[in-house]
């Protein structure tokens, strides 16, 4: 079979193989699945698109039924938002999200290490404890939190909100980081110990670079959760420490909805998350599938 | 460079009442190449990891260079280890992999670079220094793992089946290279393998373990010629020794139709135990083809032609050896004149080449 009856170069044979691959029959089932996936995907994306478009409309165009698709875009709504002093809310959100994410990662690393590599006694219970803190609905804890904040004079304080977000995201981060740590080859860590590494060196020089994609994914998820958090923000802040989600609901008033303005504000609110996700997407995919692909 | 001593060292894994390593005592001389060998689960890797400090020592002590290291962490033992999976740091280049330990030991930067280059030269991996482990073949990774160990000039090398991930051909060549390198560097080495050929060819001495208990620790030749018990006899050598229980009549072991005289020490040993049978072993190369009356009859079941040698597999006629489960008697024969399958041949044990073991304890008699 491999005997060359007609002289062919390797390049020609490779090209022929590609042609054969391209001509492969696609089954009807695969086509149906493909179409379904596209329809569902577009369906999910349509509200985001609607929000994005509405932000560039005038209020009158925004509330027509059926929605208008052809209009003269305007930046009026964005101007109006910036006039309403959007920046402090944005800075508060950014502070709470970034600070809590950094704290979460710093705390989750050693906690996850103790629950996976250097297993403490009763590590299963520890793991369950972390998860159990997420089982109670947030609303059940708001009263004590409010009273604590009030008594220590930290109501409407961004530091307090950052700490709340840290506590809120820590269990998820511990679970995620732990799942990356248990996938690490044990022998590599042992090699580092034999090579003379102490605990901190082992963490910083060996473990950290190996789970970096996973840490990035964890950090991104914590950032998104903190950025989007509404309940604690609206309950524990008023004017000084209010975050972007609190700002957004300001457009839902008893006089009516300002669709265009709300859409413009929402678009600005999701922008940082989209940018962060886009920057981290390469790492994110690797991080979320860490261990699965060796 | 240092001596290593296991002194009654035991390891109990949590939740198990049987020790993984049971009162292991071995003295390893300075510069010696000691191989720990045994079937899987025999405790050889655990013993090595106890020496490395990666496994707790529950009883007894371990000393390196006369110093008690039993409770020291790995980093304070001045040892270098080569792992079965190589355990290279995947995010570091080959050069960084090799200099990591030196960095931890606070060796100045220029010296680190020099030592890495020297080690790389010895192992012929200089062109690979800037590569990441992912971009290396299995054999190259193995060399880097060796390089990471030798660059440190430690007191002891520990090697945990470093060749088992290589293909057969590379394994044979790397085997001799490691042995030669160890002799050149003169660093005390403890090497774990399950492969008895590796053990025999590499070690100055070989320690055979079974179920956590040391069976025998001796030179390869002594293990082969004077195995201390039936387990060592069966484990060392390929194809393995034929070991069977035979009745004893008047100081002779009766094999089928022929009698094999036992030495007086062997007979005395049996008499002391009051045994009327003997566990007799003879290696495939200690059997000769003979004529009827001289040897015991064996029906040929299979002939393996290896080119230089041929091995004949069969069962002793007239014994309950004929069952399909019974291990075959294996004999080395001249490949130019192999008997045909199904025929009956007569085999004779070369005088003095038999090994007699107690049927009760399995220990060597005489």
């Amino acid at each position: 079979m491999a005997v060359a009856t007609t002289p062919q170069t390797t390049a020609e044979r490779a090209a022929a193989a590609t042609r054969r691959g391209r001509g492969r029959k696609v089954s009807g089932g695969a086509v149906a699945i493909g179409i379904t996936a596209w329809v569902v995907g577009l369906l999910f994306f349509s509200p985001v698109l609607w929000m994005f478009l509405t932000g560039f409309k005038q209020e009158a165009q925004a509330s027509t039924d059926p929605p208008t698709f052809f209009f003269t875009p305007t930046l009026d709504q964005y101007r109006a938002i910036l006039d309403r002093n959007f920046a402090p809310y944005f800075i508060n959100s950014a502070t709470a999200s970034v600070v809590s994410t950094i704290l979460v990662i710093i705390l989750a690393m050693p906690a996850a290490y103790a629950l996976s590599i250097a297993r403490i006694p009763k590590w299963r219970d520890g793991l369950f404890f972390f998860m159990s803190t997420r089982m109670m609905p947030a609303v059940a804890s708001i009263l004590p939190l409010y009273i604590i904040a009030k008594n220590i004079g930290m109501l409407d304080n961004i530091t307090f909100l950052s700490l709340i977000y840290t506590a809120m995201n820590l269990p998820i981060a511990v679970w995620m980081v732990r799942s990356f740590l248990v996938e690490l080859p044990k022998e590599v860590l042992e090699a580092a110990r034999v090579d003379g590494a102490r605990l901190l060196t082992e963490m910083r020089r060996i473990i950290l670079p190996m789970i970096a994609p996973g840490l990035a994914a964890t950090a991104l998820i914590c950032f998104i959760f903190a950025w989007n958090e509404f309940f604690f923000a609206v309950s524990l802040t008023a004017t000084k420490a209010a975050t972007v989600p609190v700002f957004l609901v300001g457009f839902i008033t008893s006089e009516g909805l300002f669709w265009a303005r709300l859409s413009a504000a929402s678009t600005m609110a999701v922008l940082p998350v989209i940018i962060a996700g886009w920057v981290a997407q390469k790492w994110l995919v690797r991080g979320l599938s860490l261990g699965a692909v060796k | 460079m240092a001596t290593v001593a296991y002194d009654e060292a035991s390891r109990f894994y949590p939740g198990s009442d049987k020790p993984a390593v049971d009162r292991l005592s071995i003295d390893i001389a300075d510069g010696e190449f000691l191989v720990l060998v045994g079937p899987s689960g025999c405790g050889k890797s655990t013993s090595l990891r106890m020496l490395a400090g990666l496994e707790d020592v529950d009883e007894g002590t371990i000393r390196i260079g006369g110093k008690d290291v039993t409770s020291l962490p790995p980093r304070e033992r001045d040892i270098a280890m080569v792992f079965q999976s190589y355990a290279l740091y995947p995010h570091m280049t080959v050069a960084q992999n090799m200099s990591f330990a030196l960095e931890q030991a606070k060796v100045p930067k220029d010296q680190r670079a020099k030592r890495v280059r020297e080690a790389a030269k010895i192992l012929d991996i200089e062109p690979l220094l800037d590569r990441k482990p992912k971009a290396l073949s299995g054999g190259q990774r193995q060399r880097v793992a060796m390089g990471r160990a030798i660059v440190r000039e430690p007191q002891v090398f520990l090697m945990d089946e470093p060749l088992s991930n290589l293909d057969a051909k590379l394994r044979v060549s790397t085997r001799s290279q490691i042995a030669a390198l160890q002799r050149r560097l003169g660093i005390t080495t403890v090497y774990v393998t399950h492969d008895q050929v590796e053990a025999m060819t590499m070690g100055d001495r070989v320690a055979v373990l079974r179920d956590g208990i040391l069976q025998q620790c001796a030179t390869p030749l002594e293990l082969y010629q004077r195995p201390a018990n039936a387990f060592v006899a069966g484990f060392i050598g390929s194809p393995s020794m034929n070991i069977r229980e035979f009745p004893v009549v008047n100081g002779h072991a009766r094999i089928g139709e022929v009698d094999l005289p036992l030495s007086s020490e062997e007979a005395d040993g049996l008499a002391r135990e009051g045994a009327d049978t003997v566990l007799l072993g003879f290696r495939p190369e200690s059997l000769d083809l003979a004529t009827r009356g001289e040897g015991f009859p064996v029906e040929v079941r299979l002939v393996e032609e290896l080119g230089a040698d041929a091995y004949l597999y069969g069962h002793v006629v007239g014994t309950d050896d004929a069952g399909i489960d019974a291990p075959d008697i294996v004999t080395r024969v001249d490949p130019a004149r192999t008997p045909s399958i199904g025929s009956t041949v007569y085999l004779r044990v070369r005088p003095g080449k038999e090994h007699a073991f107690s049927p009760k304890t399995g220990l060597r008699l005489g």
Side-chain angles (χ1 to χ4, degrees), chain B residues 24-60:
Chain B
L24 179 66
S25 291
I26 308 176
D27 283 310
I28 305 165
D30 186 8
E32 185 174 1
F33 194 123
L34 181 96
V35 179
L36 294 172
V37 70
S40 58
C42 71
K44 55 190 189 298
S45 275
T46 307
S47 306
L48 190 78
R49 292 170 56 83
M50 286 159 79
L51 177 55
L54 296 170
E55 205 75 66
D56 287 341
V57 180
D58 295 313
E59 287 172 3

Side-chain angles (χ1 to χ4, degrees), chain B residues 39-284:
Chain B
S40 58
C42 71
K44 55 190 189 298
S45 275
T46 307
S47 306
L48 190 78
R49 292 170 56 83
M50 286 159 79
L51 177 55
L54 296 170
E55 205 75 66
D56 287 341
V57 180
D58 295 313
E59 287 172 3
T61 51
I62 292 179
R63 287 184 297 275
I64 298 176
K67 183 182 159 202
D68 186 349
V69 297
T70 313
S71 51
L72 290 184
R75 65 166 185 275
E76 286 170 36
R77 297 191 181 201
D78 196 13
I79 46 164
M81 188 154 169
V82 179
F83 291 84
Q84 183 177 358
S85 64
Y86 313 140
L88 302 176
Y89 310 126
H91 54 288
M92 298 184 192
T93 63
V94 168
Q96 287 167 338
N97 260 285
M98 286 167 71
S99 66
F100 182 76
L102 299 178
E103 212 178 307
Q104 299 310 310
K106 308 245 172 357
V107 175
K109 205 171 175 185
D110 51 328
Q111 267 198 53
R112 289 208 299 261
K114 190 169 151 258
R115 276 164 73 172
V116 167
R117 260 199 319 278
E118 279 167 5
K121 202 170 173 186
I122 293 175
L123 291 163
D124 213 9
I125 51 173
E126 280 173 300
L128 310 177
L129 282 177
D130 292 325
R131 289 212 206 155
K132 292 263 178 76
K134 213 164 66 180
L136 302 177
S137 71
Q140 289 168 334
R141 284 179 205 188
Q142 206 282 330
R143 277 159 184 275
V144 175
M146 285 295 297
R148 197 167 64 175
I150 66 171
V151 76
R152 295 183 45 191
E153 298 165 16
Q155 299 221 54
V156 188
F157 281 143
L158 309 182
M159 302 192 192
D160 191 0
E161 308 216 15
L163 302 183
S164 55
N165 286 341
L166 300 180
D167 64 59
K169 207 169 170 186
L170 199 54
R171 191 157 31 196
V172 173
S173 60
T174 313
R175 189 168 81 198
S176 52
Q177 283 164 6
I178 290 181
L181 184 65
Q182 191 272 341
R183 248 129 244 174
R184 182 171 147 196
L185 298 172
I187 293 176
T188 315
T189 300
V190 183
Y191 184 107
V192 163
T193 180
H194 64 272
D195 179 350
Q196 53 100 8
V197 179
E198 255 174 53
M200 297 292 280
T201 52
M202 298 178 84
D204 291 323
R205 274 194 306 160
V206 178
V208 184
L209 273 81
R210 180 200 194 186
D211 297 335
I213 298 169
L214 178 65
Q215 305 291 309
Q216 188 174 7
C217 181
T219 62
L221 203 62
E222 191 179 342
L223 279 186
Y224 194 79
Q225 291 178 338
R226 286 186 62 81
N229 58 37
F231 174 79
V232 175
F235 189 78
I236 300 291
S238 174
S240 42
M241 187 189 279
N242 303 294
I243 301 175
R244 292 287 189 294
E245 196 168 341
F246 296 106
V248 175
V249 182
N250 295 332
H252 287 64
R254 173 151 289 176
I255 308 171
E257 297 163 4
V258 295
D259 285 346
L260 188 79
L262 297 173
S263 71
S264 57
E265 291 152 311
E266 290 164 356
D268 288 351
L270 286 173
R272 264 199 304 281
E273 287 179 11
D276 53 5
T277 59
V278 64
L279 211 51
L280 216 53
F282 28 88
R283 298 204 178 273

